[in-house]
Amino acid sequence: MSDSSHGHTPAAWTGVIIAFIGFCVAGVFMVMAQPVGFWVGMVITLLGAVVGGIMRMMGMGQPKDTHPVHKTTEPGQRQPAGIKA
């Protein structure tokens, strides 16, 4: 998986940074026992996922077909484990 660029896109970085800020805001207000501030932080956290998804739809994320997990071999090309061709 070293050739994977999973998460190295502007959409991923932006979404994670916004979610992290929301997590920090929620944590601070939870310690201060302020429920309204906590829920504002949770909304900011969810906003990170929404912004990341929108940016991916705009073309700033990783294309769906380039991830190595999606690459498969044809059934006729497979060989049992332990057999060398």
Side-chain angles (χ1 to χ4, degrees):
M1 264 223 215
S2 63
D3 61 345
S4 174
S5 64
H6 180 72
H8 297 278
T9 63
W13 279 99
T14 304
V16 168
I17 289 170
I18 293 172
F20 179 71
I21 291 169
F23 176 78
C24 291
V25 168
V28 166
F29 281 104
M30 184 170 56
V31 170
M32 293 175 21
Q34 299 291 327
V36 175
F38 168 78
W39 287 110
V40 168
M42 294 305 292
V43 168
I44 294 171
T45 302
L46 294 175
L47 184 68
V50 171
V51 169
I54 290 171
M55 288 179 70
R56 182 176 181 190
M57 287 190 289
M58 292 173 58
M60 295 184 209
Q62 182 174 358
K64 289 183 179 182
D65 297 335
T66 60
H67 198 273
V69 173
H70 298 195
K71 297 177 185 174
T72 59
T73 59
E74 297 295 323
Q77 295 176 347
R78 293 184 184 177
Q79 295 181 0
I83 297 178
K84 297 185 181 191

